[in-house]
């Protein structure tokens, strides 16, 4: 390579890294400013005395589906531990899919991870207050787009069944203004063959006024970790709704690769999936390929 070309490439890389660092600093400054403002609502203790922004995440995703074109999606969320609410409550805000937010759908079964078309009208901003009742129980009250209220009572625990076997269970009881009460239950079982290779079985079921009985999803797969927080997974998927015309709605397979692209807070992932629709409710659906690429920034 010509020396001038090498110098230009190095300069472009440095400018890209600086732009990424600047973006993250800007997002974090905004989050800290918001935390300071909200903290002042509840008392006189300044945010600098123990205030913290945690679980901050900004993601951008491009999705492609066979015969369905492409679409993009932006999601973000953050949690604030506020000095004036220390040991009492926390504040959270962000932008997510409205139904998945209020039902507390597990990440593995969100529309984004299942490569399902996501309508921007389904995305909603949200803001709320959470109270931690015990280490594994919390209660949330929030509002989403259009000042529509919702509440959640959330339970989550995990157990080490043995040196290589782990179980995790979660239950969310929720109420939302659109359709009243509902619940989401999920269970994950994991067996570690080696420190870097494991088998997971994940399940989730959601009951609302709109479901006949409950909408459910399940996956089984292998997860392989590599150095530097790289992860490769291959899963078989199935979902459906009991009590409907089609107890099983769709089978699928999902291959996913995740790795850091800058330090440990900027991650990239690539998901490739193939899906086989079943049943009579939508007979025109055909087997199809889908893929997505995403960037996730933690702040």
């Amino acid at each position: 390579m010509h020396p001038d070309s090498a110098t230009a490439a190095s300069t472009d890389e440095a400018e890209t890294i600086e732009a990424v660092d600047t973006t993250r600093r800007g997002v974090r400054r905004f989050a800290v400013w918001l935390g300071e403002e909200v903290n002042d609502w509840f008392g006189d203790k300044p945010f600098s005395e123990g205030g913290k922004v945690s679980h901050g995440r900004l993601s951008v995703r491009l999705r492609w589906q066979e015969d369905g074109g492409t679409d993009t999606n932006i999601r973000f969320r953050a949690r604030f531990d506020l000095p004036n609410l220390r040991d009492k409550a926390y504040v959270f805000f962000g932008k997510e899919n409205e139904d998945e937010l209020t039902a507390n759908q597990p990440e593995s079964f969100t529309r984004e991870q299942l490569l399902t078309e996501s309508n921007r009208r389904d995305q909603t901003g949200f803001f709320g207050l959470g109270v931690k009742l015990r280490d594994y129980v919390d209660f949330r009250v929030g509002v989403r787009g259009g000042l529509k209220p919702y509440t959640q009572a959330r339970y989550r625990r995990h157990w080490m069944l043995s040196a290589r076997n782990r179980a995790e269970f979660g239950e969310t009881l929720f109420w939302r203004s659109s359709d009243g009460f509902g619940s989401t239950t999920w269970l994950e079982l994991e067996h570690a063959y080696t420190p870097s290779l494991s088998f997971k079985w994940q399940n989730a079921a959601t009951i609302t006024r709109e479901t006949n009985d409950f909408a459910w999803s399940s996956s089984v797969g292998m997860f392989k970790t590599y150095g530097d927080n790289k992860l490769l997974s291959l899963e078989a998927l199935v979902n459906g709704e009991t009590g409907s015309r089609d107890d099983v709605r769709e089978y699928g397979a999902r291959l996913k690769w995740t790795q850091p692209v800058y330090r440990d807070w900027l991650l990239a992932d690539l998901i490739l999936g193939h899906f086989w629709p079943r049943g009579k409710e939508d007979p025109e659906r055909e087997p199809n390929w889908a893929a997505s690429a995403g960037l996730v920034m933690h702040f």
Side-chain angles (χ1 to χ4, degrees):
M1 179 181 292
H2 193 278
D4 291 342
S5 299
T7 301
S10 177
T11 301
D12 290 343
E13 181 179 355
E15 291 177 349
T16 300
I17 290 175
E18 178 60 27
V20 170
D21 281 327
T22 300
T23 299
R24 184 174 187 258
R25 287 195 297 268
V27 172
R28 182 150 187 96
R29 278 198 298 268
F30 169 74
V32 171
W33 170 81
L34 183 61
E36 292 171 343
E37 293 296 312
V38 175
N39 181 64
D40 290 343
W41 298 351
F42 300 98
D44 298 325
K45 187 178 293 186
F47 186 77
S48 58
E49 294 186 11
K52 183 174 67 173
V53 179
S54 61
H55 302 86
R57 188 180 73 173
L58 171 65
S59 67
V60 180
R61 182 168 297 278
L62 173 66
R63 187 193 68 92
W64 166 86
Q65 185 172 5
E66 186 178 8
D67 300 327
T70 62
D71 59 62
T72 58
N73 189 23
I74 298 175
R75 302 171 70 180
F76 65 92
R77 64 170 57 196
R79 169 173 161 166
F80 304 88
D81 295 316
L82 307 179
N84 286 319
L85 295 177
R86 179 69 66 189
D87 298 327
K88 298 178 183 178
Y90 58 89
V91 169
F92 57 92
F93 90 107
K95 182 181 180 182
E96 300 280 351
N97 178 278
E98 184 167 1
D99 288 340
E100 293 168 356
L101 163 72
T102 54
N104 195 26
Q105 190 70 229
E107 180 72 14
S108 294
F109 301 123
T110 61
R111 299 175 68 87
E112 182 178 86
Q113 294 296 306
L114 293 174
L115 304 176
T116 304
E117 182 179 2
S118 181
N119 192 319
R120 292 187 180 181
R121 290 175 296 180
D122 296 333
Q123 302 294 308
T124 184
F126 62 90
F127 182 86
L129 180 69
V131 179
K132 198 167 186 177
L133 303 179
R134 300 186 66 176
D135 288 342
Y136 43 84
V137 179
D138 62 350
F139 180 77
R140 287 185 168 194
V141 178
V143 292
R144 58 199 199 279
L147 298 181
K148 295 178 288 187
Y150 72 96
T151 62
Q152 296 173 332
R154 312 195 311 173
Y155 173 91
R156 178 173 181 174
R157 293 197 74 174
H158 74 272
W159 300 268
M160 290 303 301
L161 305 178
S162 68
R164 293 190 175 187
N165 296 291
R166 181 185 66 89
E168 192 162 354
F169 174 81
E171 178 74 30
T172 299
L173 303 177
F174 60 88
W175 174 90
R176 51 195 182 196
S177 56
S178 57
D179 59 359
F181 289 96
S183 70
T184 296
T185 306
W186 57 270
L187 173 68
E188 178 181 309
L189 300 174
E190 180 178 8
H191 173 73
Y193 291 99
T194 70
S196 63
L197 179 64
S198 64
F199 169 85
K200 289 184 183 180
W201 180 31
Q202 301 176 84
N203 303 274
T206 298
I207 301 173
T208 68
R209 186 180 298 174
E210 296 179 355
T211 58
N212 292 287
D213 287 331
F214 56 85
W216 59 274
S217 299
S218 184
S219 73
V220 292
M222 302 300 296
F223 293 75
K224 172 68 175 177
T225 59
Y226 298 88
D228 300 324
N229 297 318
K230 297 171 183 170
L231 176 64
L232 177 67
S233 61
L234 177 61
E235 299 169 87
L237 309 162
V238 60
N239 64 69
E241 183 177 330
T242 61
S244 68
R245 294 178 61 190
D246 305 318
D247 286 343
V248 175
R249 181 176 180 270
E250 186 176 66
Y251 294 105
R254 177 173 62 194
L255 178 68
K256 182 176 179 180
W257 171 257
T258 303
Q259 72 170 64
V261 293
Y262 182 58
R263 298 186 178 176
D264 61 350
W265 47 260
L266 184 62
L267 306 178
D269 67 53
L270 178 64
I271 307 174
L272 176 65
H274 190 67
F275 302 93
W276 295 268
R278 302 279 294 179
K280 302 176 181 179
E281 293 212 2
D282 193 356
E284 296 183 359
R285 296 180 67 221
E286 297 180 353
N288 65 90
W289 289 92
S292 74
L295 280 176
V296 181
M297 177 185 290
H298 296 274
F299 60 88

